[in-house]
Amino acid sequence: MKALLCKAFGPAETLVLEDIASPEAKKNEIVLDVHAAGVNFPDTLIIEGKYQFKPPFPFSPGGEAAGIISAVGEKISHLKVGDRVMALTGWGSFAEQVAVPGYNVMQIPKSMDFASAAAFGMTYGTSMHALKQRANLQAGETLLVLGASGGVGLAAVEIGKAMGAKVIAAASSAEKLEVAKAAGADELINYTETNLKEEVKRLTGGLGADVIYDPVGGDLFDLAARSIAWNGRLLVVGFASGRIPELPVNLMLLKGAAVIGVFWGSFAQRQPQDNAANFQQLFAWHAEGKLKPLVSESYPLEKAGDAINRLGQRQAVGKVVVQVR
Ligand SMILES: NC(=O)c1ccc[n+]([C@@H]2O[C@H](COP(=O)([O-])OP(=O)(O)OC[C@H]3O[C@@H](n4cnc5c(N)ncnc54)[C@H](OP(=O)(O)O)[C@@H]3O)[C@@H](O)[C@H]2O)c1
């Protein structure tokens, strides 16, 4: 089978397409014939050796995929050959086949095509967990989403609306904000041109945002921490800006507010039933047309490095997908 390989840590240009042996299903695994693979920010980090996981060389990047099961390990009973599924792989999805533990595999609803399914799991799974289990977002509350046109950010905008919140989308350009507006955002903040803190204050009548969803970190986190409402929840989702911020905790004392970590992969592993319930809700919203995963670009397998660069160079909106078959 063909796979795009990382043989040493480095930029996306160093990835190489090669023919390698097909994987076999160990007893708790399935083998997936990959049709589409989703590109996520961790793919930009894992090839550079900057991610929390460092797979042994050579490995394929690609943290999630959708396709058809071609082999099933002897201990797997809930899946069978021929099932249409989406899978969280961590890495290995930028290949024609990937072996995945059965607990990381989910059936795709009939209404969802492979590209949408490859664009769905990581972003919607993360944002649902963040807003439901971590923030306990309530209808009528104000949700501020940073990086609101990106993968997890755009999912947070849609889920926030589905949960009945007033959503303020914040992003770095007018074009990106248009994407967030089309996904249902009520208010828009361009944080390249305006001061985030002042704008949040203006849009909330001085109260601040009840829940802040931050996948960006850096300077934006510093401003967001000063834009939170009484009893607010500040969700630490990621650091796409490249800087892990530090927090003067008196800010949280003064607002009776909480800073809350979000780690969806670990949640899915530790609380599989809660994660499955989240996906039942997400699939129902998708069927009702409330969630519309935006696949803005797709690339063939041999160009998957270019796809990774779109995220690394801050150019992607919604989801970029690698179309393998
Ligand atoms: N905690 C979890 O469980 C979990 C799960 C999945 C992802 N994540 C994390 O969430 C973050 C976003 O992931 P994603 O897949 O949604 O990425 P993405 O699609 O590339 O979105 C990231 C957004 O961050 C903003 N950004 C600001 N500075 C940037 C920079 N220097 N380079 C790139 N983007 C920059 C961009 O929006 P603007 O240009 O509008 O600022 C961009 O839209 C990552 O840090 C990822 O590791 C966390």
Side-chain angles (χ1 to χ4, degrees), residues 202-236:
R202 185 178 71 76
L203 292 170
T204 58
L207 294 175
D210 298 303
V211 174
I212 300 177
Y213 183 98
D214 179 16
V216 182
D219 297 349
L220 279 178
F221 177 95
D222 297 341
L223 290 168
R226 291 161 175 81
S227 311
I228 199 150
W230 175 249
N231 272 340
R233 287 87 77 203
L234 173 46
L235 296 167
V236 179

PDB file of all heavy atoms in Angstrom, residues 202-236:
ATOM      1  N   ARG A 202     -17.825  45.636  24.872  1.00  0.00           N
ATOM      2  CA  ARG A 202     -18.869  46.376  24.148  1.00  0.00           C
ATOM      3  C   ARG A 202     -20.048  45.464  23.781  1.00  0.00           C
ATOM      4  O   ARG A 202     -21.216  45.809  23.985  1.00  0.00           O
ATOM      5  CB  ARG A 202     -18.261  46.987  22.879  1.00  0.00           C
ATOM      6  CG  ARG A 202     -19.197  47.888  22.086  1.00  0.00           C
ATOM      7  CD  ARG A 202     -18.500  48.483  20.878  1.00  0.00           C
ATOM      8  NE  ARG A 202     -18.215  47.531  19.821  1.00  0.00           N
ATOM      9  CZ  ARG A 202     -19.120  47.042  18.961  1.00  0.00           C
ATOM     10  NH1 ARG A 202     -20.375  47.438  19.036  1.00  0.00           N
ATOM     11  NH2 ARG A 202     -18.769  46.174  18.034  1.00  0.00           N
ATOM     12  N   LEU A 203     -19.734  44.272  23.294  1.00  0.00           N
ATOM     13  CA  LEU A 203     -20.789  43.376  22.804  1.00  0.00           C
ATOM     14  C   LEU A 203     -21.578  42.709  23.927  1.00  0.00           C
ATOM     15  O   LEU A 203     -22.653  42.155  23.695  1.00  0.00           O
ATOM     16  CB  LEU A 203     -20.176  42.288  21.902  1.00  0.00           C
ATOM     17  CG  LEU A 203     -19.598  42.777  20.570  1.00  0.00           C
ATOM     18  CD1 LEU A 203     -18.806  41.680  19.881  1.00  0.00           C
ATOM     19  CD2 LEU A 203     -20.719  43.273  19.655  1.00  0.00           C
ATOM     20  N   THR A 204     -21.044  42.734  25.155  1.00  0.00           N
ATOM     21  CA  THR A 204     -21.738  42.078  26.273  1.00  0.00           C
ATOM     22  C   THR A 204     -22.241  43.102  27.295  1.00  0.00           C
ATOM     23  O   THR A 204     -22.568  42.736  28.427  1.00  0.00           O
ATOM     24  CB  THR A 204     -20.805  41.070  26.986  1.00  0.00           C
ATOM     25  OG1 THR A 204     -19.641  41.780  27.456  1.00  0.00           O
ATOM     26  CG2 THR A 204     -20.400  39.932  26.074  1.00  0.00           C
ATOM     27  N   GLY A 205     -22.304  44.379  26.898  1.00  0.00           N
ATOM     28  CA  GLY A 205     -22.777  45.412  27.824  1.00  0.00           C
ATOM     29  C   GLY A 205     -21.914  45.486  29.077  1.00  0.00           C
ATOM     30  O   GLY A 205     -22.430  45.724  30.185  1.00  0.00           O
ATOM     31  N   GLY A 206     -20.625  45.233  28.910  1.00  0.00           N
ATOM     32  CA  GLY A 206     -19.692  45.348  30.041  1.00  0.00           C
ATOM     33  C   GLY A 206     -19.591  44.095  30.896  1.00  0.00           C
ATOM     34  O   GLY A 206     -18.773  44.034  31.815  1.00  0.00           O
ATOM     35  N   LEU A 207     -20.396  43.084  30.611  1.00  0.00           N
ATOM     36  CA  LEU A 207     -20.437  41.899  31.498  1.00  0.00           C
ATOM     37  C   LEU A 207     -19.299  40.914  31.244  1.00  0.00           C
ATOM     38  O   LEU A 207     -18.877  40.196  32.142  1.00  0.00           O
ATOM     39  CB  LEU A 207     -21.771  41.164  31.327  1.00  0.00           C
ATOM     40  CG  LEU A 207     -23.021  41.932  31.785  1.00  0.00           C
ATOM     41  CD1 LEU A 207     -24.277  41.132  31.448  1.00  0.00           C
ATOM     42  CD2 LEU A 207     -22.959  42.207  33.284  1.00  0.00           C
ATOM     43  N   GLY A 208     -18.845  40.811  30.008  1.00  0.00           N
ATOM     44  CA  GLY A 208     -17.857  39.777  29.643  1.00  0.00           C
ATOM     45  C   GLY A 208     -18.556  38.513  29.153  1.00  0.00           C
ATOM     46  O   GLY A 208     -19.781  38.393  29.196  1.00  0.00           O
ATOM     47  N   ALA A 209     -17.739  37.564  28.690  1.00  0.00           N
ATOM     48  CA  ALA A 209     -18.287  36.316  28.129  1.00  0.00           C
ATOM     49  C   ALA A 209     -18.379  35.247  29.221  1.00  0.00           C
ATOM     50  O   ALA A 209     -17.468  35.095  30.029  1.00  0.00           O
ATOM     51  CB  ALA A 209     -17.387  35.824  26.998  1.00  0.00           C
ATOM     52  N   ASP A 210     -19.491  34.515  29.226  1.00  0.00           N
ATOM     53  CA  ASP A 210     -19.669  33.463  30.240  1.00  0.00           C
ATOM     54  C   ASP A 210     -18.696  32.312  30.013  1.00  0.00           C
ATOM     55  O   ASP A 210     -18.137  31.765  30.956  1.00  0.00           O
ATOM     56  CB  ASP A 210     -21.109  32.920  30.184  1.00  0.00           C
ATOM     57  CG  ASP A 210     -22.128  34.003  30.503  1.00  0.00           C
ATOM     58  OD1 ASP A 210     -22.015  34.597  31.594  1.00  0.00           O
ATOM     59  OD2 ASP A 210     -23.004  34.271  29.654  1.00  0.00           O
ATOM     60  N   VAL A 211     -18.551  31.925  28.744  1.00  0.00           N
ATOM     61  CA  VAL A 211     -17.637  30.821  28.416  1.00  0.00           C
ATOM     62  C   VAL A 211     -16.705  31.294  27.296  1.00  0.00           C
ATOM     63  O   VAL A 211     -17.163  31.894  26.316  1.00  0.00           O
ATOM     64  CB  VAL A 211     -18.418  29.562  27.968  1.00  0.00           C
ATOM     65  CG1 VAL A 211     -17.452  28.465  27.497  1.00  0.00           C
ATOM     66  CG2 VAL A 211     -19.295  29.038  29.114  1.00  0.00           C
ATOM     67  N   ILE A 212     -15.419  31.044  27.473  1.00  0.00           N
ATOM     68  CA  ILE A 212     -14.436  31.409  26.437  1.00  0.00           C
ATOM     69  C   ILE A 212     -13.749  30.128  25.979  1.00  0.00           C
ATOM     70  O   ILE A 212     -13.224  29.360  26.799  1.00  0.00           O
ATOM     71  CB  ILE A 212     -13.416  32.425  26.973  1.00  0.00           C
ATOM     72  CG1 ILE A 212     -14.142  33.707  27.416  1.00  0.00           C
ATOM     73  CG2 ILE A 212     -12.369  32.733  25.902  1.00  0.00           C
ATOM     74  CD1 ILE A 212     -13.256  34.775  28.025  1.00  0.00           C
ATOM     75  N   TYR A 213     -13.775  29.912  24.654  1.00  0.00           N
ATOM     76  CA  TYR A 213     -13.199  28.711  24.059  1.00  0.00           C
ATOM     77  C   TYR A 213     -11.905  29.130  23.370  1.00  0.00           C
ATOM     78  O   TYR A 213     -11.928  29.875  22.386  1.00  0.00           O
ATOM     79  CB  TYR A 213     -14.211  28.146  23.048  1.00  0.00           C
ATOM     80  CG  TYR A 213     -13.795  26.857  22.383  1.00  0.00           C
ATOM     81  CD1 TYR A 213     -14.272  25.633  22.853  1.00  0.00           C
ATOM     82  CD2 TYR A 213     -12.945  26.857  21.290  1.00  0.00           C
ATOM     83  CE1 TYR A 213     -13.907  24.441  22.243  1.00  0.00           C
ATOM     84  CE2 TYR A 213     -12.574  25.670  20.684  1.00  0.00           C
ATOM     85  CZ  TYR A 213     -13.060  24.470  21.173  1.00  0.00           C
ATOM     86  OH  TYR A 213     -12.695  23.294  20.562  1.00  0.00           O
ATOM     87  N   ASP A 214     -10.743  28.665  23.886  1.00  0.00           N
ATOM     88  CA  ASP A 214      -9.462  29.155  23.377  1.00  0.00           C
ATOM     89  C   ASP A 214      -8.554  28.046  22.836  1.00  0.00           C
ATOM     90  O   ASP A 214      -7.843  27.397  23.605  1.00  0.00           O
ATOM     91  CB  ASP A 214      -8.721  29.921  24.475  1.00  0.00           C
ATOM     92  CG  ASP A 214      -7.372  30.430  23.963  1.00  0.00           C
ATOM     93  OD1 ASP A 214      -7.176  30.458  22.728  1.00  0.00           O
ATOM     94  OD2 ASP A 214      -6.513  30.777  24.793  1.00  0.00           O
ATOM     95  N   PRO A 215      -8.527  27.871  21.508  1.00  0.00           N
ATOM     96  CA  PRO A 215      -7.574  26.931  20.915  1.00  0.00           C
ATOM     97  C   PRO A 215      -6.290  27.615  20.448  1.00  0.00           C
ATOM     98  O   PRO A 215      -5.473  26.979  19.804  1.00  0.00           O
ATOM     99  CB  PRO A 215      -8.357  26.380  19.704  1.00  0.00           C
ATOM    100  CG  PRO A 215      -9.276  27.484  19.308  1.00  0.00           C
ATOM    101  CD  PRO A 215      -9.483  28.395  20.498  1.00  0.00           C
ATOM    102  N   VAL A 216      -6.119  28.904  20.761  1.00  0.00           N
ATOM    103  CA  VAL A 216      -5.019  29.694  20.187  1.00  0.00           C
ATOM    104  C   VAL A 216      -3.922  29.994  21.204  1.00  0.00           C
ATOM    105  O   VAL A 216      -2.732  29.897  20.906  1.00  0.00           O
ATOM    106  CB  VAL A 216      -5.552  31.016  19.588  1.00  0.00           C
ATOM    107  CG1 VAL A 216      -4.413  31.815  18.957  1.00  0.00           C
ATOM    108  CG2 VAL A 216      -6.633  30.754  18.552  1.00  0.00           C
ATOM    109  N   GLY A 217      -4.282  30.367  22.437  1.00  0.00           N
ATOM    110  CA  GLY A 217      -3.282  30.685  23.462  1.00  0.00           C
ATOM    111  C   GLY A 217      -2.556  31.993  23.175  1.00  0.00           C
ATOM    112  O   GLY A 217      -3.060  32.870  22.472  1.00  0.00           O
ATOM    113  N   GLY A 218      -1.345  32.146  23.700  1.00  0.00           N
ATOM    114  CA  GLY A 218      -0.521  33.331  23.450  1.00  0.00           C
ATOM    115  C   GLY A 218      -1.185  34.612  23.916  1.00  0.00           C
ATOM    116  O   GLY A 218      -1.886  34.648  24.931  1.00  0.00           O
ATOM    117  N   ASP A 219      -0.966  35.697  23.125  1.00  0.00           N
ATOM    118  CA  ASP A 219      -1.468  37.022  23.515  1.00  0.00           C
ATOM    119  C   ASP A 219      -2.991  37.051  23.606  1.00  0.00           C
ATOM    120  O   ASP A 219      -3.567  37.788  24.411  1.00  0.00           O
ATOM    121  CB  ASP A 219      -1.014  38.076  22.495  1.00  0.00           C
ATOM    122  CG  ASP A 219       0.503  38.204  22.470  1.00  0.00           C
ATOM    123  OD1 ASP A 219       1.173  37.647  23.370  1.00  0.00           O
ATOM    124  OD2 ASP A 219       1.017  38.846  21.532  1.00  0.00           O
ATOM    125  N   LEU A 220      -3.654  36.252  22.764  1.00  0.00           N
ATOM    126  CA  LEU A 220      -5.124  36.255  22.786  1.00  0.00           C
ATOM    127  C   LEU A 220      -5.660  35.717  24.104  1.00  0.00           C
ATOM    128  O   LEU A 220      -6.658  36.211  24.633  1.00  0.00           O
ATOM    129  CB  LEU A 220      -5.683  35.400  21.637  1.00  0.00           C
ATOM    130  CG  LEU A 220      -5.736  36.065  20.277  1.00  0.00           C
ATOM    131  CD1 LEU A 220      -6.264  35.075  19.253  1.00  0.00           C
ATOM    132  CD2 LEU A 220      -6.619  37.311  20.299  1.00  0.00           C
ATOM    133  N   PHE A 221      -4.998  34.708  24.644  1.00  0.00           N
ATOM    134  CA  PHE A 221      -5.408  34.189  25.950  1.00  0.00           C
ATOM    135  C   PHE A 221      -5.308  35.290  26.998  1.00  0.00           C
ATOM    136  O   PHE A 221      -6.198  35.452  27.834  1.00  0.00           O
ATOM    137  CB  PHE A 221      -4.528  32.993  26.351  1.00  0.00           C
ATOM    138  CG  PHE A 221      -4.830  32.446  27.723  1.00  0.00           C
ATOM    139  CD1 PHE A 221      -5.696  31.373  27.889  1.00  0.00           C
ATOM    140  CD2 PHE A 221      -4.260  33.013  28.868  1.00  0.00           C
ATOM    141  CE1 PHE A 221      -5.988  30.873  29.159  1.00  0.00           C
ATOM    142  CE2 PHE A 221      -4.539  32.525  30.138  1.00  0.00           C
ATOM    143  CZ  PHE A 221      -5.408  31.450  30.279  1.00  0.00           C
ATOM    144  N   ASP A 222      -4.214  36.069  26.942  1.00  0.00           N
ATOM    145  CA  ASP A 222      -4.015  37.128  27.935  1.00  0.00           C
ATOM    146  C   ASP A 222      -5.181  38.121  27.902  1.00  0.00           C
ATOM    147  O   ASP A 222      -5.672  38.564  28.947  1.00  0.00           O
ATOM    148  CB  ASP A 222      -2.702  37.880  27.663  1.00  0.00           C
ATOM    149  CG  ASP A 222      -1.483  36.951  27.788  1.00  0.00           C
ATOM    150  OD1 ASP A 222      -1.608  35.880  28.403  1.00  0.00           O
ATOM    151  OD2 ASP A 222      -0.423  37.310  27.242  1.00  0.00           O
ATOM    152  N   LEU A 223      -5.647  38.460  26.687  1.00  0.00           N
ATOM    153  CA  LEU A 223      -6.776  39.392  26.556  1.00  0.00           C
ATOM    154  C   LEU A 223      -8.088  38.709  26.968  1.00  0.00           C
ATOM    155  O   LEU A 223      -8.940  39.298  27.629  1.00  0.00           O
ATOM    156  CB  LEU A 223      -6.881  39.889  25.112  1.00  0.00           C
ATOM    157  CG  LEU A 223      -5.768  40.842  24.661  1.00  0.00           C
ATOM    158  CD1 LEU A 223      -5.820  41.034  23.154  1.00  0.00           C
ATOM    159  CD2 LEU A 223      -5.905  42.190  25.378  1.00  0.00           C
ATOM    160  N   ALA A 224      -8.228  37.446  26.566  1.00  0.00           N
ATOM    161  CA  ALA A 224      -9.464  36.725  26.869  1.00  0.00           C
ATOM    162  C   ALA A 224      -9.658  36.568  28.377  1.00  0.00           C
ATOM    163  O   ALA A 224     -10.771  36.695  28.891  1.00  0.00           O
ATOM    164  CB  ALA A 224      -9.441  35.350  26.186  1.00  0.00           C
ATOM    165  N   ALA A 225      -8.557  36.310  29.083  1.00  0.00           N
ATOM    166  CA  ALA A 225      -8.656  36.123  30.535  1.00  0.00           C
ATOM    167  C   ALA A 225      -9.199  37.382  31.214  1.00  0.00           C
ATOM    168  O   ALA A 225      -9.763  37.315  32.310  1.00  0.00           O
ATOM    169  CB  ALA A 225      -7.287  35.761  31.103  1.00  0.00           C
ATOM    170  N   ARG A 226      -9.048  38.528  30.548  1.00  0.00           N
ATOM    171  CA  ARG A 226      -9.550  39.798  31.085  1.00  0.00           C
ATOM    172  C   ARG A 226     -10.926  40.145  30.516  1.00  0.00           C
ATOM    173  O   ARG A 226     -11.419  41.257  30.701  1.00  0.00           O
ATOM    174  CB  ARG A 226      -8.533  40.914  30.787  1.00  0.00           C
ATOM    175  CG  ARG A 226      -7.249  40.754  31.599  1.00  0.00           C
ATOM    176  CD  ARG A 226      -6.077  41.514  31.056  1.00  0.00           C
ATOM    177  NE  ARG A 226      -4.906  41.415  31.944  1.00  0.00           N
ATOM    178  CZ  ARG A 226      -4.065  40.382  31.975  1.00  0.00           C
ATOM    179  NH1 ARG A 226      -4.253  39.346  31.168  1.00  0.00           N
ATOM    180  NH2 ARG A 226      -3.056  40.359  32.830  1.00  0.00           N
ATOM    181  N   SER A 227     -11.534  39.206  29.796  1.00  0.00           N
ATOM    182  CA  SER A 227     -12.825  39.458  29.146  1.00  0.00           C
ATOM    183  C   SER A 227     -13.898  38.514  29.676  1.00  0.00           C
ATOM    184  O   SER A 227     -14.940  38.341  29.052  1.00  0.00           O
ATOM    185  CB  SER A 227     -12.698  39.219  27.632  1.00  0.00           C
ATOM    186  OG  SER A 227     -11.591  39.883  27.107  1.00  0.00           O
ATOM    187  N   ILE A 228     -13.630  37.884  30.812  1.00  0.00           N
ATOM    188  CA  ILE A 228     -14.542  36.833  31.278  1.00  0.00           C
ATOM    189  C   ILE A 228     -15.578  37.415  32.242  1.00  0.00           C
ATOM    190  O   ILE A 228     -15.308  38.373  32.971  1.00  0.00           O
ATOM    191  CB  ILE A 228     -13.728  35.672  31.919  1.00  0.00           C
ATOM    192  CG1 ILE A 228     -14.584  34.404  31.961  1.00  0.00           C
ATOM    193  CG2 ILE A 228     -13.185  36.032  33.290  1.00  0.00           C
ATOM    194  CD1 ILE A 228     -13.795  33.138  31.856  1.00  0.00           C
ATOM    195  N   ALA A 229     -16.765  36.820  32.221  1.00  0.00           N
ATOM    196  CA  ALA A 229     -17.866  37.299  33.075  1.00  0.00           C
ATOM    197  C   ALA A 229     -17.759  36.700  34.477  1.00  0.00           C
ATOM    198  O   ALA A 229     -16.999  35.761  34.709  1.00  0.00           O
ATOM    199  CB  ALA A 229     -19.199  36.892  32.448  1.00  0.00           C
ATOM    200  N   TRP A 230     -18.539  37.251  35.375  1.00  0.00           N
ATOM    201  CA  TRP A 230     -18.689  36.663  36.713  1.00  0.00           C
ATOM    202  C   TRP A 230     -19.153  35.211  36.545  1.00  0.00           C
ATOM    203  O   TRP A 230     -20.024  34.920  35.718  1.00  0.00           O
ATOM    204  CB  TRP A 230     -19.718  37.467  37.522  1.00  0.00           C
ATOM    205  CG  TRP A 230     -20.026  36.851  38.861  1.00  0.00           C
ATOM    206  CD1 TRP A 230     -21.189  36.260  39.246  1.00  0.00           C
ATOM    207  CD2 TRP A 230     -19.135  36.765  39.985  1.00  0.00           C
ATOM    208  NE1 TRP A 230     -21.079  35.799  40.538  1.00  0.00           N
ATOM    209  CE2 TRP A 230     -19.820  36.093  41.020  1.00  0.00           C
ATOM    210  CE3 TRP A 230     -17.815  37.178  40.210  1.00  0.00           C
ATOM    211  CZ2 TRP A 230     -19.255  35.827  42.260  1.00  0.00           C
ATOM    212  CZ3 TRP A 230     -17.237  36.910  41.456  1.00  0.00           C
ATOM    213  CH2 TRP A 230     -17.958  36.244  42.459  1.00  0.00           C
ATOM    214  N   ASN A 231     -18.528  34.284  37.285  1.00  0.00           N
ATOM    215  CA  ASN A 231     -18.847  32.849  37.173  1.00  0.00           C
ATOM    216  C   ASN A 231     -18.455  32.261  35.814  1.00  0.00           C
ATOM    217  O   ASN A 231     -18.997  31.226  35.407  1.00  0.00           O
ATOM    218  CB  ASN A 231     -20.329  32.565  37.401  1.00  0.00           C
ATOM    219  CG  ASN A 231     -20.652  32.347  38.864  1.00  0.00           C
ATOM    220  OD1 ASN A 231     -19.760  32.037  39.654  1.00  0.00           O
ATOM    221  ND2 ASN A 231     -21.912  32.501  39.235  1.00  0.00           N
ATOM    222  N   GLY A 232     -17.540  32.934  35.111  1.00  0.00           N
ATOM    223  CA  GLY A 232     -17.176  32.480  33.770  1.00  0.00           C
ATOM    224  C   GLY A 232     -16.301  31.233  33.780  1.00  0.00           C
ATOM    225  O   GLY A 232     -15.733  30.848  34.808  1.00  0.00           O
ATOM    226  N   ARG A 233     -16.203  30.592  32.582  1.00  0.00           N
ATOM    227  CA  ARG A 233     -15.350  29.407  32.420  1.00  0.00           C
ATOM    228  C   ARG A 233     -14.463  29.629  31.197  1.00  0.00           C
ATOM    229  O   ARG A 233     -14.983  29.851  30.102  1.00  0.00           O
ATOM    230  CB  ARG A 233     -16.204  28.134  32.227  1.00  0.00           C
ATOM    231  CG  ARG A 233     -16.900  27.668  33.506  1.00  0.00           C
ATOM    232  CD  ARG A 233     -18.242  28.344  33.724  1.00  0.00           C
ATOM    233  NE  ARG A 233     -19.307  27.821  32.898  1.00  0.00           N
ATOM    234  CZ  ARG A 233     -20.418  28.490  32.572  1.00  0.00           C
ATOM    235  NH1 ARG A 233     -20.604  29.738  32.979  1.00  0.00           N
ATOM    236  NH2 ARG A 233     -21.347  27.911  31.842  1.00  0.00           N
ATOM    237  N   LEU A 234     -13.161  29.572  31.426  1.00  0.00           N
ATOM    238  CA  LEU A 234     -12.186  29.790  30.345  1.00  0.00           C
ATOM    239  C   LEU A 234     -11.586  28.441  29.958  1.00  0.00           C
ATOM    240  O   LEU A 234     -10.876  27.812  30.753  1.00  0.00           O
ATOM    241  CB  LEU A 234     -11.111  30.769  30.837  1.00  0.00           C
ATOM    242  CG  LEU A 234      -9.887  31.062  29.982  1.00  0.00           C
ATOM    243  CD1 LEU A 234     -10.242  31.317  28.525  1.00  0.00           C
ATOM    244  CD2 LEU A 234      -9.151  32.269  30.535  1.00  0.00           C
ATOM    245  N   LEU A 235     -11.915  28.003  28.746  1.00  0.00           N
ATOM    246  CA  LEU A 235     -11.529  26.654  28.310  1.00  0.00           C
ATOM    247  C   LEU A 235     -10.162  26.670  27.631  1.00  0.00           C
ATOM    248  O   LEU A 235      -9.979  27.351  26.614  1.00  0.00           O
ATOM    249  CB  LEU A 235     -12.578  26.112  27.336  1.00  0.00           C
ATOM    250  CG  LEU A 235     -13.971  25.904  27.951  1.00  0.00           C
ATOM    251  CD1 LEU A 235     -15.006  25.686  26.844  1.00  0.00           C
ATOM    252  CD2 LEU A 235     -13.977  24.736  28.928  1.00  0.00           C
ATOM    253  N   VAL A 236      -9.222  25.927  28.171  1.00  0.00           N
ATOM    254  CA  VAL A 236      -7.886  25.805  27.588  1.00  0.00           C
ATOM    255  C   VAL A 236      -7.916  24.618  26.628  1.00  0.00           C
ATOM    256  O   VAL A 236      -7.940  23.464  27.044  1.00  0.00           O
ATOM    257  CB  VAL A 236      -6.830  25.578  28.689  1.00  0.00           C
ATOM    258  CG1 VAL A 236      -5.440  25.418  28.071  1.00  0.00           C
ATOM    259  CG2 VAL A 236      -6.856  26.712  29.699  1.00  0.00           C
TER     260      VAL A 236
END
